[in-house]
Amino acid sequence: MILYRLLLLALFSISTKVAADHLSGGIGLPTSAAPFWTATAQTMPAGQMSFGLSVEYQKLRPFSDQKLQALRQADALANPQLYQEEHNDEHAHADPRQADLHSVDYLLGGNFRFAYGVTDDLSVGLNLPFVHRNNVREAEGGVFDHGEFDSEGVADHGNSEGIGDMSFWGQYRFYDDSISNASLILGFKAPTGETTNTGYEDERLETHLQPGSGSWDGMFGLAYGYDLGTVMLNTSVLYTLATEGSQATTLGDGFNYNFAVSMPVHAIKPCSACYWNLVMELNGDWRDSEERRGITIGNSGGHTVYLSPGIRFIGGENWNIGVAGGYAVIHDLNGDQSEPDYRFMGTMNMGL
Protein backbone atom coordinates (compact mmCIF):
# COMPACT_ATOMS: atom_id res chain seq x y z
CA MET A 1 0.00 0.00 0.00
CA ILE A 2 2.95 2.37 0.53
CA LEU A 3 3.87 2.07 -3.13
CA TYR A 4 0.25 2.28 -4.20
CA ARG A 5 -0.13 5.68 -2.55
CA LEU A 6 3.31 7.13 -3.16
CA LEU A 7 3.06 8.89 -6.53
CA LEU A 8 0.40 11.07 -8.04
CA LEU A 9 1.36 12.74 -11.30
CA ALA A 10 -0.88 14.98 -13.37
CA LEU A 11 -1.24 13.76 -16.94
CA PHE A 12 -3.51 16.55 -18.15
CA SER A 13 -3.62 16.94 -21.88
CA ILE A 14 -0.73 18.83 -23.48
CA SER A 15 -2.96 21.85 -23.81
CA THR A 16 -6.29 20.31 -22.79
CA LYS A 17 -7.32 20.35 -26.44
CA VAL A 18 -8.95 17.15 -27.63
CA ALA A 19 -9.86 17.91 -31.22
CA ALA A 20 -8.74 15.70 -34.09
CA ASP A 21 -5.25 17.17 -34.35
CA HIS A 22 -4.50 17.84 -30.69
CA LEU A 23 -2.95 15.58 -28.10
CA SER A 24 -5.36 14.20 -25.56
CA GLY A 25 -4.85 12.95 -22.06
CA GLY A 26 -6.17 12.80 -18.53
CA ILE A 27 -4.92 12.43 -15.00
CA GLY A 28 -3.43 9.23 -13.66
CA LEU A 29 -1.80 7.54 -10.68
CA PRO A 30 1.28 5.79 -12.15
CA THR A 31 1.73 3.12 -9.52
CA SER A 32 0.39 -0.40 -8.93
CA ALA A 33 -3.10 0.43 -10.27
CA ALA A 34 -1.78 2.99 -12.69
CA PRO A 35 -3.71 3.91 -15.80
CA PHE A 36 -2.04 6.27 -18.26
CA TRP A 37 -4.98 8.48 -19.29
CA THR A 38 -7.55 7.63 -16.60
CA ALA A 39 -7.50 9.46 -13.27
CA THR A 40 -7.38 7.47 -10.05
CA ALA A 41 -9.13 8.68 -6.91
CA GLN A 42 -6.03 8.13 -4.75
CA THR A 43 -4.14 11.13 -3.35
CA MET A 44 -0.56 11.39 -2.11
CA PRO A 45 0.43 11.10 1.56
CA ALA A 46 1.02 14.43 3.29
CA GLY A 47 4.48 15.85 2.57
CA GLN A 48 5.23 13.54 -0.39
CA MET A 49 6.46 15.00 -3.70
CA SER A 50 6.70 13.45 -7.13
CA PHE A 51 8.18 14.43 -10.48
CA GLY A 52 7.62 12.96 -13.88
CA LEU A 53 8.31 13.20 -17.58
CA SER A 54 6.07 11.86 -20.33
CA VAL A 55 6.28 11.79 -24.12
CA GLU A 56 3.20 11.32 -26.31
CA TYR A 57 3.08 10.65 -30.07
CA GLN A 58 -0.16 10.81 -32.02
CA LYS A 59 -0.38 9.73 -35.67
CA LEU A 60 -3.08 11.30 -37.81
CA ARG A 61 -4.49 10.41 -41.22
CA PRO A 62 -3.41 13.52 -43.15
CA PHE A 63 -5.04 14.90 -46.27
CA SER A 64 -3.03 15.00 -49.48
CA ASP A 65 -2.59 18.36 -51.25
CA GLN A 66 -5.01 17.14 -53.93
CA LYS A 67 -7.62 16.31 -51.28
CA LEU A 68 -7.23 19.72 -49.62
CA GLN A 69 -7.71 21.48 -52.96
CA ALA A 70 -10.74 19.32 -53.77
CA LEU A 71 -12.29 20.21 -50.40
CA ARG A 72 -11.65 23.91 -51.04
CA GLN A 73 -13.29 23.70 -54.46
CA ALA A 74 -16.28 21.87 -52.99
CA ASP A 75 -16.71 24.59 -50.36
CA ALA A 76 -16.48 27.28 -53.02
CA LEU A 77 -19.10 25.60 -55.21
CA ALA A 78 -21.41 25.22 -52.22
CA ASN A 79 -20.86 28.81 -51.02
CA PRO A 80 -19.93 30.95 -54.06
CA GLN A 81 -20.90 34.17 -52.27
CA LEU A 82 -17.88 33.68 -49.96
CA TYR A 83 -15.39 33.60 -52.86
CA GLN A 84 -15.99 36.82 -54.75
CA GLU A 85 -13.52 38.84 -56.84
CA GLU A 86 -13.02 41.52 -54.18
CA HIS A 87 -11.11 39.01 -52.07
CA ASN A 88 -8.48 38.76 -54.80
CA ASP A 89 -6.93 42.04 -53.67
CA GLU A 90 -3.62 41.36 -51.93
CA HIS A 91 -4.60 43.57 -48.98
CA ALA A 92 -7.97 41.89 -48.46
CA HIS A 93 -8.64 38.93 -46.22
CA ALA A 94 -10.69 35.91 -47.22
CA ASP A 95 -14.20 35.74 -45.86
CA PRO A 96 -13.86 34.16 -42.38
CA ARG A 97 -16.85 31.94 -43.14
CA GLN A 98 -14.86 29.98 -45.71
CA ALA A 99 -14.12 26.41 -44.57
CA ASP A 100 -11.02 25.99 -42.40
CA LEU A 101 -9.15 23.21 -44.23
CA HIS A 102 -5.79 22.05 -42.89
CA SER A 103 -3.81 18.86 -42.34
CA VAL A 104 -1.17 17.69 -39.83
CA ASP A 105 0.89 14.50 -40.18
CA TYR A 106 1.51 13.81 -36.50
CA LEU A 107 1.88 15.41 -33.08
CA LEU A 108 4.69 14.92 -30.59
CA GLY A 109 4.58 16.29 -27.07
CA GLY A 110 6.67 16.28 -23.93
CA ASN A 111 5.33 16.98 -20.45
CA PHE A 112 7.04 17.84 -17.14
CA ARG A 113 4.89 17.21 -14.08
CA PHE A 114 5.09 17.92 -10.35
CA ALA A 115 2.72 16.92 -7.53
CA TYR A 116 2.68 17.45 -3.75
CA GLY A 117 0.58 15.96 -0.95
CA VAL A 118 -0.79 18.81 1.19
CA THR A 119 -2.68 16.37 3.39
CA ASP A 120 -3.44 12.67 3.05
CA ASP A 121 -6.65 13.61 1.24
CA LEU A 122 -5.52 16.68 -0.74
CA SER A 123 -2.88 16.80 -3.49
CA VAL A 124 -1.89 19.68 -5.75
CA GLY A 125 0.32 19.85 -8.82
CA LEU A 126 1.19 21.36 -12.15
CA ASN A 127 2.32 20.31 -15.59
CA LEU A 128 4.28 22.13 -18.28
CA PRO A 129 4.01 20.78 -21.85
CA PHE A 130 5.95 21.13 -25.08
CA VAL A 131 4.06 20.60 -28.36
CA HIS A 132 5.29 19.80 -31.88
CA ARG A 133 2.94 19.61 -34.92
CA ASN A 134 4.56 18.10 -37.98
CA ASN A 135 3.96 19.21 -41.58
CA VAL A 136 1.13 21.68 -41.19
CA ARG A 137 -0.53 22.34 -44.54
CA GLU A 138 -3.58 24.45 -45.33
CA ALA A 139 -5.84 24.86 -48.36
CA GLU A 140 -5.64 28.49 -49.39
CA GLY A 141 -8.67 30.42 -50.62
CA GLY A 142 -9.50 31.40 -54.19
CA VAL A 143 -11.96 33.33 -56.32
CA PHE A 144 -14.45 32.72 -59.09
CA ASP A 145 -13.11 33.97 -62.44
CA HIS A 146 -15.63 33.96 -65.29
CA GLY A 147 -17.65 31.25 -63.59
CA GLU A 148 -14.64 29.04 -62.87
CA PHE A 149 -13.10 28.65 -59.43
CA ASP A 150 -9.44 29.68 -59.34
CA SER A 151 -7.76 28.03 -56.35
CA GLU A 152 -4.74 29.58 -54.62
CA GLY A 153 -3.29 26.14 -53.89
CA VAL A 154 -1.97 24.65 -50.64
CA ALA A 155 0.26 26.54 -48.21
CA ASP A 156 3.05 24.49 -46.62
CA HIS A 157 3.45 26.00 -43.14
CA GLY A 158 6.13 23.53 -42.01
CA ASN A 159 6.16 22.59 -38.33
CA SER A 160 4.60 24.40 -35.39
CA GLU A 161 6.20 23.85 -32.00
CA GLY A 162 6.83 25.49 -28.65
CA ILE A 163 5.93 25.60 -24.96
CA GLY A 164 2.26 24.88 -24.32
CA ASP A 165 -0.14 26.15 -21.68
CA MET A 166 0.68 25.28 -18.05
CA SER A 167 -1.99 23.52 -15.99
CA PHE A 168 -2.51 23.71 -12.22
CA TRP A 169 -4.78 21.27 -10.37
CA GLY A 170 -5.97 20.07 -7.01
CA GLN A 171 -7.46 16.70 -6.09
CA TYR A 172 -9.50 16.15 -2.91
CA ARG A 173 -10.42 12.62 -1.81
CA PHE A 174 -13.82 12.88 -0.12
CA TYR A 175 -14.51 9.14 0.26
CA ASP A 176 -12.20 6.26 1.20
CA ASP A 177 -12.84 2.81 2.61
CA SER A 178 -11.04 -0.52 2.38
CA ILE A 179 -12.01 -1.25 -1.24
CA SER A 180 -13.18 1.97 -2.90
CA ASN A 181 -12.48 5.70 -2.99
CA ALA A 182 -13.66 8.84 -4.77
CA SER A 183 -12.19 12.28 -5.31
CA LEU A 184 -12.99 15.70 -6.75
CA ILE A 185 -10.61 17.31 -9.27
CA LEU A 186 -10.42 21.07 -9.82
CA GLY A 187 -7.91 22.99 -11.90
CA PHE A 188 -7.22 25.64 -14.50
CA LYS A 189 -5.02 26.19 -17.51
CA ALA A 190 -3.03 29.42 -17.79
CA PRO A 191 -2.15 31.07 -21.15
CA THR A 192 1.62 30.51 -20.89
CA GLY A 193 2.07 28.84 -24.29
CA GLU A 194 3.37 30.14 -27.60
CA THR A 195 0.65 31.73 -29.76
CA THR A 196 2.62 33.60 -32.44
CA ASN A 197 4.10 30.81 -34.59
CA THR A 198 4.11 31.63 -38.30
CA GLY A 199 4.09 29.52 -41.45
CA TYR A 200 4.05 30.15 -45.19
CA GLU A 201 5.07 33.74 -46.05
CA ASP A 202 5.33 34.49 -42.31
CA GLU A 203 1.57 34.14 -41.95
CA ARG A 204 0.50 33.73 -38.34
CA LEU A 205 -1.06 30.34 -37.80
CA GLU A 206 -4.57 30.04 -36.44
CA THR A 207 -4.85 29.44 -32.70
CA HIS A 208 -5.78 25.75 -33.02
CA LEU A 209 -2.39 25.18 -34.72
CA GLN A 210 -0.41 26.99 -32.02
CA PRO A 211 1.22 25.29 -28.98
CA GLY A 212 -0.77 27.57 -26.66
CA SER A 213 -4.34 28.86 -26.70
CA GLY A 214 -4.02 32.28 -25.08
CA SER A 215 -7.02 31.49 -22.86
CA TRP A 216 -7.72 30.82 -19.20
CA ASP A 217 -9.67 27.54 -19.04
CA GLY A 218 -11.29 25.92 -16.01
CA MET A 219 -11.24 22.15 -15.39
CA PHE A 220 -13.34 20.07 -13.02
CA GLY A 221 -14.00 16.36 -12.70
CA LEU A 222 -14.48 13.25 -10.59
CA ALA A 223 -12.53 10.02 -10.16
CA TYR A 224 -13.59 6.72 -8.63
CA GLY A 225 -11.64 3.54 -7.90
CA TYR A 226 -12.69 0.03 -6.81
CA ASP A 227 -10.24 -2.64 -5.64
CA LEU A 228 -11.23 -6.21 -6.53
CA GLY A 229 -8.06 -7.63 -4.99
CA THR A 230 -6.11 -8.87 -8.01
CA VAL A 231 -7.70 -6.27 -10.31
CA MET A 232 -8.20 -2.51 -9.83
CA LEU A 233 -11.01 -0.65 -11.59
CA ASN A 234 -10.82 3.11 -12.21
CA THR A 235 -13.08 5.57 -13.94
CA SER A 236 -12.87 9.34 -14.30
CA VAL A 237 -14.51 12.28 -16.05
CA LEU A 238 -13.04 15.72 -16.70
CA TYR A 239 -14.79 18.76 -18.19
CA THR A 240 -12.83 21.71 -19.61
CA LEU A 241 -14.58 25.07 -19.84
CA ALA A 242 -12.87 27.05 -22.60
CA THR A 243 -12.80 30.85 -22.78
CA GLU A 244 -11.80 33.24 -25.55
CA GLY A 245 -8.06 33.35 -26.15
CA SER A 246 -5.58 34.36 -28.84
CA GLN A 247 -6.90 35.90 -32.09
CA ALA A 248 -10.43 36.13 -30.60
CA THR A 249 -10.66 32.34 -30.71
CA THR A 250 -12.50 30.01 -28.34
CA LEU A 251 -11.29 26.45 -28.90
CA GLY A 252 -14.46 24.88 -27.48
CA ASP A 253 -15.38 23.10 -24.27
CA GLY A 254 -14.05 19.57 -23.81
CA PHE A 255 -15.30 16.45 -22.05
CA ASN A 256 -12.97 13.53 -21.28
CA TYR A 257 -14.24 10.20 -19.90
CA ASN A 258 -12.19 7.10 -19.09
CA PHE A 259 -12.44 3.52 -17.85
CA ALA A 260 -9.45 1.39 -16.84
CA VAL A 261 -8.66 -2.10 -15.59
CA SER A 262 -5.23 -2.67 -13.98
CA MET A 263 -3.61 -5.91 -12.79
CA PRO A 264 -0.22 -6.38 -11.08
CA VAL A 265 2.02 -9.20 -12.36
CA HIS A 266 4.84 -10.52 -10.15
CA ALA A 267 6.73 -12.53 -12.78
CA ILE A 268 10.13 -11.93 -14.41
CA LYS A 269 11.14 -9.27 -11.89
CA PRO A 270 14.76 -8.26 -11.17
CA CYS A 271 14.21 -7.40 -7.47
CA SER A 272 11.88 -8.40 -4.65
CA ALA A 273 10.11 -5.02 -4.60
CA CYS A 274 9.74 -4.88 -8.38
CA TYR A 275 6.73 -5.94 -10.42
CA TRP A 276 4.76 -5.17 -13.58
CA ASN A 277 1.36 -3.60 -13.95
CA LEU A 278 -0.85 -4.40 -16.95
CA VAL A 279 -3.43 -1.79 -17.96
CA MET A 280 -6.33 -1.68 -20.40
CA GLU A 281 -8.22 1.58 -20.90
CA LEU A 282 -11.12 3.00 -22.87
CA ASN A 283 -10.64 6.76 -23.34
CA GLY A 284 -13.26 9.08 -24.80
CA ASP A 285 -12.70 12.70 -25.84
CA TRP A 286 -15.38 15.15 -26.98
CA ARG A 287 -14.73 18.73 -28.03
CA ASP A 288 -17.26 21.41 -28.95
CA SER A 289 -16.82 23.35 -32.18
CA GLU A 290 -14.35 26.23 -32.26
CA GLU A 291 -15.50 29.83 -32.49
CA ARG A 292 -13.43 32.55 -34.14
CA ARG A 293 -14.54 36.17 -33.90
CA GLY A 294 -18.07 35.02 -33.21
CA ILE A 295 -18.19 32.61 -36.16
CA THR A 296 -18.54 28.86 -35.56
CA ILE A 297 -15.87 26.84 -37.39
CA GLY A 298 -17.56 23.86 -39.02
CA ASN A 299 -14.43 21.72 -39.43
CA SER A 300 -13.65 21.55 -35.71
CA GLY A 301 -14.63 19.54 -32.68
CA GLY A 302 -16.05 16.04 -32.51
CA HIS A 303 -15.81 12.77 -30.62
CA THR A 304 -12.98 10.22 -30.48
CA VAL A 305 -12.70 6.98 -28.49
CA TYR A 306 -9.39 5.12 -27.97
CA LEU A 307 -8.74 1.56 -26.85
CA SER A 308 -5.45 1.82 -24.94
CA PRO A 309 -3.37 -1.09 -23.57
CA GLY A 310 -0.24 -0.35 -21.51
CA ILE A 311 2.37 -1.81 -19.20
CA ARG A 312 4.28 -0.22 -16.32
CA PHE A 313 7.41 -1.47 -14.55
CA ILE A 314 7.47 -0.64 -10.83
CA GLY A 315 11.12 -0.45 -9.76
CA GLY A 316 10.61 -0.24 -6.02
CA GLU A 317 8.99 2.41 -3.84
CA ASN A 318 10.41 5.51 -5.55
CA TRP A 319 10.27 5.13 -9.33
CA ASN A 320 8.50 3.51 -12.26
CA ILE A 321 8.48 3.62 -16.06
CA GLY A 322 5.75 2.72 -18.49
CA VAL A 323 4.58 2.66 -22.08
CA ALA A 324 1.06 2.60 -23.51
CA GLY A 325 -0.53 2.66 -26.92
CA GLY A 326 -3.96 3.57 -28.20
CA TYR A 327 -5.99 3.01 -31.35
CA ALA A 328 -8.91 5.25 -32.31
CA VAL A 329 -11.83 2.83 -32.56
CA ILE A 330 -14.38 5.65 -32.96
CA HIS A 331 -13.79 9.00 -34.63
CA ASP A 332 -16.91 11.04 -35.25
CA LEU A 333 -15.53 14.45 -36.22
CA ASN A 334 -17.36 17.56 -37.36
CA GLY A 335 -16.78 18.36 -41.02
CA ASP A 336 -13.48 17.67 -42.78
CA GLN A 337 -10.56 17.03 -40.40
CA SER A 338 -7.51 14.77 -40.31
CA GLU A 339 -8.72 11.75 -38.34
CA PRO A 340 -6.67 10.33 -35.45
CA ASP A 341 -5.12 6.92 -36.11
CA TYR A 342 -3.03 5.67 -33.20
CA ARG A 343 -0.93 7.04 -30.34
CA PHE A 344 1.84 6.07 -27.90
CA MET A 345 2.86 7.38 -24.51
CA GLY A 346 6.03 6.77 -22.49
CA THR A 347 6.42 7.88 -18.86
CA MET A 348 9.15 8.01 -16.23
CA ASN A 349 8.20 8.99 -12.66
CA MET A 350 10.03 9.48 -9.38
CA GLY A 351 8.80 10.14 -5.84
CA LEU A 352 10.56 11.82 -2.91
Side-chain angles (χ1 to χ4, degrees), residues 32-50:
S32 60
F36 288 80
W37 286 277
T38 304
T40 73
Q42 286 286 355
T43 50
M44 295 174 58
Q48 294 283 357
M49 292 187 295
S50 63

